[in-house]
Amino acid sequence: MKKIDVNKIENAFKDILDALGESIEREGLKDTPKRIAQSYAELFSGLLQNPKDMLKITFEVEKNDLIIEKNIDFYSMCEHHFLPIFGKIDIAYIPNGKIVGFGDIIKVIDILSKRPQIQERLGSQIADTIYDTLNCQGVMVVIKAKHMCMT
């Protein structure tokens, strides 16, 4: 099983601080590499999980009415600059006899967002996960986001 190596991340940030001309012995920076390593382990924890596992519990439905969930908050990290991306996601799908709980959709978003990402791939991965796992008739994902690398 994959594992995030927090010690390697911590050492890399010590090198980054040194490259910036900062001292890791300075009071405000003493534990910064460790804190960054711990936060990166959380920020990228989606690399260790399969989003399809979140959609295993389904509910049978008689009608295949459109399911819409809007304004779902998310955050991710731009894979090009390792700066935050954050915003809202709207999801709609047409079931094929079964649906999942709203919380399970949020878990899928969380897992896929917690990987180095680009907005376009994130939308495709969410749609593909829902479409393939639920065998639904159609999926739409709309992402409105701010990219810190662009502001």
Side-chain angles (χ1 to χ4, degrees):
M1 182 176 160
K2 280 185 183 179
K3 182 182 172 206
I4 294 175
D5 190 337
V6 291
N7 291 325
K8 225 177 192 178
I9 296 169
E10 182 177 347
N11 289 328
F13 271 92
K14 287 178 183 176
D15 289 343
I16 290 170
L17 288 170
D18 183 52
L20 292 171
E22 283 285 356
S23 169
I24 59 168
E25 297 305 317
R26 184 163 67 78
E27 184 179 345
L29 293 177
K30 278 186 182 177
D31 291 325
T32 296
K34 180 183 282 186
R35 285 191 296 268
I36 290 172
Q38 291 167 344
S39 69
Y40 267 40
E42 172 61 26
L43 286 169
F44 299 110
S45 62
L47 292 166
L48 307 176
Q49 299 173 317
N50 183 345
K52 291 181 178 183
D53 291 343
M54 301 301 114
L55 303 179
K56 288 183 176 178
I57 298 173
T58 61
F59 306 96
E60 300 290 323
V61 292
E62 291 180 21
K63 293 184 178 182
N64 291 317
D65 295 332
L66 182 66
I67 307 292
I68 301 174
E69 301 297 342
K70 298 176 83 174
N71 294 315
I72 304 165
D73 291 319
F74 85 99
Y75 67 88
S76 190
M77 292 287 272
C78 164
E79 70 180 32
H80 298 136
H81 305 95
F82 269 58
L83 290 171
I85 303 169
F86 57 93
K88 305 270 187 189
I89 297 178
D90 300 337
I91 295 178
Y93 70 97
I94 303 170
N96 195 11
K98 59 185 176 180
I99 61 171
V100 293
F102 178 53
D104 295 330
I105 297 285
I106 290 174
K107 290 174 190 171
V108 167
I109 292 169
D110 189 54
I111 288 170
L112 293 170
S113 296
K114 288 185 175 179
R115 299 174 176 187
Q117 276 292 9
I118 59 173
Q119 183 173 331
E120 296 81 3
R121 183 185 320 112
L122 176 60
S124 294
Q125 288 176 339
I126 293 167
D128 290 345
T129 299
I130 295 168
Y131 186 81
D132 294 344
T133 308
L134 296 180
N135 191 32
C136 56
Q137 297 178 51
V139 178
M140 181 181 79
V141 176
V142 176
I143 301 177
K144 299 173 196 150
K146 292 186 181 192
H147 298 239
M148 293 305 294
C149 57
M150 301 295 291
T151 57

mmCIF file of all heavy atoms in Angstrom, residues 23-52:
data_model
loop_
_atom_site.group_PDB
_atom_site.id
_atom_site.type_symbol
_atom_site.label_atom_id
_atom_site.label_comp_id
_atom_site.label_asym_id
_atom_site.label_seq_id
_atom_site.Cartn_x
_atom_site.Cartn_y
_atom_site.Cartn_z
ATOM 1 N N SER A 23 16.862 30.456 8.352
ATOM 2 C CA SER A 23 17.417 29.498 9.300
ATOM 3 C C SER A 23 16.285 28.703 9.934
ATOM 4 O O SER A 23 15.343 29.281 10.476
ATOM 5 C CB SER A 23 18.190 30.231 10.403
ATOM 6 O OG SER A 23 18.500 29.334 11.446
ATOM 7 N N ILE A 24 16.420 27.372 9.912
ATOM 8 C CA ILE A 24 15.393 26.544 10.554
ATOM 9 C C ILE A 24 15.524 26.588 12.068
ATOM 10 O O ILE A 24 14.691 26.043 12.779
ATOM 11 C CB ILE A 24 15.417 25.080 10.062
ATOM 12 C CG1 ILE A 24 16.773 24.427 10.321
ATOM 13 C CG2 ILE A 24 15.043 24.994 8.601
ATOM 14 C CD1 ILE A 24 16.760 22.930 10.131
ATOM 15 N N GLU A 25 16.543 27.274 12.539
ATOM 16 C CA GLU A 25 16.716 27.460 13.983
ATOM 17 C C GLU A 25 15.994 28.713 14.477
ATOM 18 O O GLU A 25 15.854 28.901 15.689
ATOM 19 C CB GLU A 25 18.207 27.556 14.332
ATOM 20 C CG GLU A 25 18.981 26.286 14.004
ATOM 21 C CD GLU A 25 18.387 25.039 14.654
ATOM 22 O OE1 GLU A 25 18.011 25.097 15.842
ATOM 23 O OE2 GLU A 25 18.275 24.012 13.956
ATOM 24 N N ARG A 26 15.536 29.555 13.535
ATOM 25 C CA ARG A 26 14.794 30.758 13.937
ATOM 26 C C ARG A 26 13.519 30.323 14.645
ATOM 27 O O ARG A 26 12.858 29.366 14.244
ATOM 28 C CB ARG A 26 14.484 31.621 12.704
ATOM 29 C CG ARG A 26 13.807 32.933 13.049
ATOM 30 C CD ARG A 26 13.893 33.936 11.904
ATOM 31 N NE ARG A 26 13.147 33.595 10.716
ATOM 32 C CZ ARG A 26 11.817 33.752 10.577
ATOM 33 N NH1 ARG A 26 11.091 34.210 11.586
ATOM 34 N NH2 ARG A 26 11.239 33.449 9.440
ATOM 35 N N GLU A 27 13.168 31.023 15.712
ATOM 36 C CA GLU A 27 12.053 30.629 16.576
ATOM 37 C C GLU A 27 10.776 30.325 15.790
ATOM 38 O O GLU A 27 10.141 29.300 16.004
ATOM 39 C CB GLU A 27 11.781 31.716 17.614
ATOM 40 C CG GLU A 27 10.694 31.318 18.596
ATOM 41 C CD GLU A 27 10.437 32.379 19.648
ATOM 42 O OE1 GLU A 27 11.263 33.289 19.814
ATOM 43 O OE2 GLU A 27 9.385 32.287 20.292
ATOM 44 N N GLY A 28 10.394 31.178 14.911
ATOM 45 C CA GLY A 28 9.145 30.988 14.172
ATOM 46 C C GLY A 28 9.187 29.869 13.155
ATOM 47 O O GLY A 28 8.147 29.411 12.689
ATOM 48 N N LEU A 29 10.382 29.394 12.790
ATOM 49 C CA LEU A 29 10.513 28.363 11.760
ATOM 50 C C LEU A 29 10.930 26.991 12.292
ATOM 51 O O LEU A 29 10.974 26.034 11.531
ATOM 52 C CB LEU A 29 11.538 28.813 10.710
ATOM 53 C CG LEU A 29 11.152 30.018 9.858
ATOM 54 C CD1 LEU A 29 12.292 30.385 8.924
ATOM 55 C CD2 LEU A 29 9.882 29.732 9.070
ATOM 56 N N LYS A 30 11.213 26.897 13.595
ATOM 57 C CA LYS A 30 11.759 25.646 14.146
ATOM 58 C C LYS A 30 10.924 24.418 13.791
ATOM 59 O O LYS A 30 11.464 23.400 13.402
ATOM 60 C CB LYS A 30 11.912 25.750 15.665
ATOM 61 C CG LYS A 30 13.169 26.453 16.080
ATOM 62 C CD LYS A 30 13.337 26.406 17.581
ATOM 63 C CE LYS A 30 14.599 27.178 17.961
ATOM 64 N NZ LYS A 30 14.795 27.243 19.381
ATOM 65 N N ASP A 31 9.634 24.497 13.949
ATOM 66 C CA ASP A 31 8.774 23.334 13.679
ATOM 67 C C ASP A 31 8.022 23.440 12.360
ATOM 68 O O ASP A 31 7.187 22.584 12.060
ATOM 69 C CB ASP A 31 7.774 23.159 14.831
ATOM 70 C CG ASP A 31 8.460 22.724 16.117
ATOM 71 O OD1 ASP A 31 9.443 21.964 16.036
ATOM 72 O OD2 ASP A 31 8.006 23.152 17.197
ATOM 73 N N THR A 32 8.326 24.462 11.570
ATOM 74 C CA THR A 32 7.605 24.670 10.310
ATOM 75 C C THR A 32 7.748 23.479 9.358
ATOM 76 O O THR A 32 6.726 23.023 8.812
ATOM 77 C CB THR A 32 8.035 25.979 9.642
ATOM 78 O OG1 THR A 32 7.657 27.059 10.511
ATOM 79 C CG2 THR A 32 7.379 26.167 8.285
ATOM 80 N N PRO A 33 8.936 22.940 9.112
ATOM 81 C CA PRO A 33 9.005 21.783 8.200
ATOM 82 C C PRO A 33 8.149 20.604 8.664
ATOM 83 O O PRO A 33 7.499 19.947 7.849
ATOM 84 C CB PRO A 33 10.497 21.428 8.200
ATOM 85 C CG PRO A 33 11.180 22.724 8.500
ATOM 86 C CD PRO A 33 10.270 23.397 9.509
ATOM 87 N N LYS A 34 8.098 20.365 9.976
ATOM 88 C CA LYS A 34 7.277 19.274 10.499
ATOM 89 C C LYS A 34 5.782 19.579 10.286
ATOM 90 O O LYS A 34 5.016 18.706 9.885
ATOM 91 C CB LYS A 34 7.552 19.072 11.993
ATOM 92 C CG LYS A 34 6.742 17.947 12.612
ATOM 93 C CD LYS A 34 6.977 17.830 14.101
ATOM 94 C CE LYS A 34 8.303 17.119 14.280
ATOM 95 N NZ LYS A 34 8.616 16.804 15.664
ATOM 96 N N ARG A 35 5.387 20.834 10.556
ATOM 97 C CA ARG A 35 3.980 21.207 10.368
ATOM 98 C C ARG A 35 3.580 21.102 8.902
ATOM 99 O O ARG A 35 2.482 20.638 8.577
ATOM 100 C CB ARG A 35 3.733 22.630 10.882
ATOM 101 C CG ARG A 35 3.691 22.747 12.390
ATOM 102 C CD ARG A 35 3.190 24.109 12.837
ATOM 103 N NE ARG A 35 4.064 25.192 12.434
ATOM 104 C CZ ARG A 35 5.059 25.689 13.175
ATOM 105 N NH1 ARG A 35 5.296 25.184 14.377
ATOM 106 N NH2 ARG A 35 5.798 26.682 12.737
ATOM 107 N N ILE A 36 4.461 21.529 8.011
ATOM 108 C CA ILE A 36 4.174 21.437 6.575
ATOM 109 C C ILE A 36 4.041 19.977 6.165
ATOM 110 O O ILE A 36 3.116 19.617 5.426
ATOM 111 C CB ILE A 36 5.244 22.168 5.747
ATOM 112 C CG1 ILE A 36 5.114 23.680 5.959
ATOM 113 C CG2 ILE A 36 5.110 21.819 4.260
ATOM 114 C CD1 ILE A 36 6.235 24.494 5.348
ATOM 115 N N ALA A 37 4.940 19.135 6.642
ATOM 116 C CA ALA A 37 4.881 17.712 6.296
ATOM 117 C C ALA A 37 3.560 17.091 6.762
ATOM 118 O O ALA A 37 2.928 16.327 6.022
ATOM 119 C CB ALA A 37 6.067 16.972 6.910
ATOM 120 N N GLN A 38 3.123 17.442 7.963
ATOM 121 C CA GLN A 38 1.859 16.917 8.482
ATOM 122 C C GLN A 38 0.675 17.444 7.666
ATOM 123 O O GLN A 38 -0.270 16.696 7.378
ATOM 124 C CB GLN A 38 1.706 17.265 9.956
ATOM 125 C CG GLN A 38 2.679 16.514 10.836
ATOM 126 C CD GLN A 38 2.749 17.067 12.260
ATOM 127 O OE1 GLN A 38 2.306 18.166 12.551
ATOM 128 N NE2 GLN A 38 3.341 16.276 13.147
ATOM 129 N N SER A 39 0.726 18.717 7.297
ATOM 130 C CA SER A 39 -0.384 19.261 6.513
ATOM 131 C C SER A 39 -0.397 18.672 5.108
ATOM 132 O O SER A 39 -1.462 18.401 4.563
ATOM 133 C CB SER A 39 -0.349 20.796 6.475
ATOM 134 O OG SER A 39 0.733 21.274 5.717
ATOM 135 N N TYR A 40 0.782 18.430 4.519
ATOM 136 C CA TYR A 40 0.830 17.796 3.196
ATOM 137 C C TYR A 40 0.275 16.374 3.252
ATOM 138 O O TYR A 40 -0.373 15.925 2.306
ATOM 139 C CB TYR A 40 2.252 17.807 2.651
ATOM 140 C CG TYR A 40 2.549 19.005 1.773
ATOM 141 C CD1 TYR A 40 2.079 20.277 2.099
ATOM 142 C CD2 TYR A 40 3.294 18.870 0.615
ATOM 143 C CE1 TYR A 40 2.346 21.360 1.299
ATOM 144 C CE2 TYR A 40 3.571 19.961 -0.193
ATOM 145 C CZ TYR A 40 3.090 21.203 0.155
ATOM 146 O OH TYR A 40 3.351 22.264 -0.652
ATOM 147 N N ALA A 41 0.539 15.659 4.342
ATOM 148 C CA ALA A 41 -0.015 14.312 4.470
ATOM 149 C C ALA A 41 -1.538 14.358 4.409
ATOM 150 O O ALA A 41 -2.175 13.495 3.784
ATOM 151 C CB ALA A 41 0.455 13.662 5.776
ATOM 152 N N GLU A 42 -2.149 15.372 5.012
ATOM 153 C CA GLU A 42 -3.604 15.535 4.949
ATOM 154 C C GLU A 42 -4.046 16.061 3.578
ATOM 155 O O GLU A 42 -5.001 15.557 2.992
ATOM 156 C CB GLU A 42 -4.081 16.476 6.064
ATOM 157 C CG GLU A 42 -5.542 16.878 5.972
ATOM 158 C CD GLU A 42 -6.524 15.716 6.049
ATOM 159 O OE1 GLU A 42 -6.191 14.679 6.627
ATOM 160 O OE2 GLU A 42 -7.648 15.864 5.501
ATOM 161 N N LEU A 43 -3.351 17.087 3.079
ATOM 162 C CA LEU A 43 -3.737 17.700 1.800
ATOM 163 C C LEU A 43 -3.710 16.706 0.643
ATOM 164 O O LEU A 43 -4.468 16.847 -0.315
ATOM 165 C CB LEU A 43 -2.814 18.873 1.464
ATOM 166 C CG LEU A 43 -3.014 20.145 2.264
ATOM 167 C CD1 LEU A 43 -1.871 21.124 2.008
ATOM 168 C CD2 LEU A 43 -4.347 20.789 1.927
ATOM 169 N N PHE A 44 -2.835 15.707 0.724
ATOM 170 C CA PHE A 44 -2.686 14.750 -0.367
ATOM 171 C C PHE A 44 -3.111 13.335 0.025
ATOM 172 O O PHE A 44 -2.750 12.362 -0.624
ATOM 173 C CB PHE A 44 -1.251 14.780 -0.892
ATOM 174 C CG PHE A 44 -0.876 16.124 -1.434
ATOM 175 C CD1 PHE A 44 0.032 16.925 -0.771
ATOM 176 C CD2 PHE A 44 -1.472 16.618 -2.578
ATOM 177 C CE1 PHE A 44 0.368 18.183 -1.254
ATOM 178 C CE2 PHE A 44 -1.148 17.874 -3.070
ATOM 179 C CZ PHE A 44 -0.230 18.663 -2.414
ATOM 180 N N SER A 45 -3.921 13.220 1.076
ATOM 181 C CA SER A 45 -4.372 11.912 1.552
ATOM 182 C C SER A 45 -5.244 11.184 0.538
ATOM 183 O O SER A 45 -5.388 9.965 0.597
ATOM 184 C CB SER A 45 -5.117 12.055 2.883
ATOM 185 O OG SER A 45 -6.282 12.850 2.717
ATOM 186 N N GLY A 46 -5.795 11.896 -0.421
ATOM 187 C CA GLY A 46 -6.599 11.261 -1.466
ATOM 188 C C GLY A 46 -5.794 10.332 -2.353
ATOM 189 O O GLY A 46 -6.362 9.465 -3.028
ATOM 190 N N LEU A 47 -4.470 10.488 -2.355
ATOM 191 C CA LEU A 47 -3.615 9.591 -3.132
ATOM 192 C C LEU A 47 -3.657 8.166 -2.590
ATOM 193 O O LEU A 47 -3.317 7.218 -3.304
ATOM 194 C CB LEU A 47 -2.165 10.105 -3.115
ATOM 195 C CG LEU A 47 -1.903 11.409 -3.860
ATOM 196 C CD1 LEU A 47 -0.539 11.973 -3.489
ATOM 197 C CD2 LEU A 47 -2.015 11.183 -5.367
ATOM 198 N N LEU A 48 -4.058 8.024 -1.348
ATOM 199 C CA LEU A 48 -4.044 6.716 -0.685
ATOM 200 C C LEU A 48 -5.407 6.021 -0.702
ATOM 201 O O LEU A 48 -5.553 4.944 -0.128
ATOM 202 C CB LEU A 48 -3.590 6.884 0.773
ATOM 203 C CG LEU A 48 -2.270 7.615 0.996
ATOM 204 C CD1 LEU A 48 -2.002 7.785 2.488
ATOM 205 C CD2 LEU A 48 -1.124 6.892 0.306
ATOM 206 N N GLN A 49 -6.406 6.659 -1.331
ATOM 207 C CA GLN A 49 -7.770 6.118 -1.276
ATOM 208 C C GLN A 49 -8.359 5.946 -2.671
ATOM 209 O O GLN A 49 -8.015 6.679 -3.599
ATOM 210 C CB GLN A 49 -8.658 7.072 -0.475
ATOM 211 C CG GLN A 49 -8.203 7.266 0.948
ATOM 212 C CD GLN A 49 -9.007 8.347 1.648
ATOM 213 O OE1 GLN A 49 -9.288 9.395 1.083
ATOM 214 N NE2 GLN A 49 -9.388 8.087 2.885
ATOM 215 N N ASN A 50 -9.286 5.010 -2.776
ATOM 216 C CA ASN A 50 -10.018 4.782 -4.019
ATOM 217 C C ASN A 50 -11.406 5.404 -3.877
ATOM 218 O O ASN A 50 -12.200 4.949 -3.040
ATOM 219 C CB ASN A 50 -10.128 3.280 -4.294
ATOM 220 C CG ASN A 50 -10.811 2.990 -5.612
ATOM 221 O OD1 ASN A 50 -11.453 3.839 -6.216
ATOM 222 N ND2 ASN A 50 -10.673 1.756 -6.067
ATOM 223 N N PRO A 51 -11.739 6.411 -4.675
ATOM 224 C CA PRO A 51 -13.035 7.078 -4.525
ATOM 225 C C PRO A 51 -14.230 6.159 -4.806
ATOM 226 O O PRO A 51 -15.305 6.359 -4.253
ATOM 227 C CB PRO A 51 -12.974 8.225 -5.525
ATOM 228 C CG PRO A 51 -11.946 7.817 -6.522
ATOM 229 C CD PRO A 51 -10.950 6.989 -5.772
ATOM 230 N N LYS A 52 -14.039 5.136 -5.612
ATOM 231 C CA LYS A 52 -15.141 4.209 -5.917
ATOM 232 C C LYS A 52 -15.603 3.448 -4.678
ATOM 233 O O LYS A 52 -16.749 3.034 -4.594
ATOM 234 C CB LYS A 52 -14.735 3.240 -7.022
ATOM 235 C CG LYS A 52 -14.586 3.939 -8.365
ATOM 236 C CD LYS A 52 -14.213 2.978 -9.462
ATOM 237 C CE LYS A 52 -14.132 3.725 -10.786
ATOM 238 N NZ LYS A 52 -13.849 2.835 -11.910
#
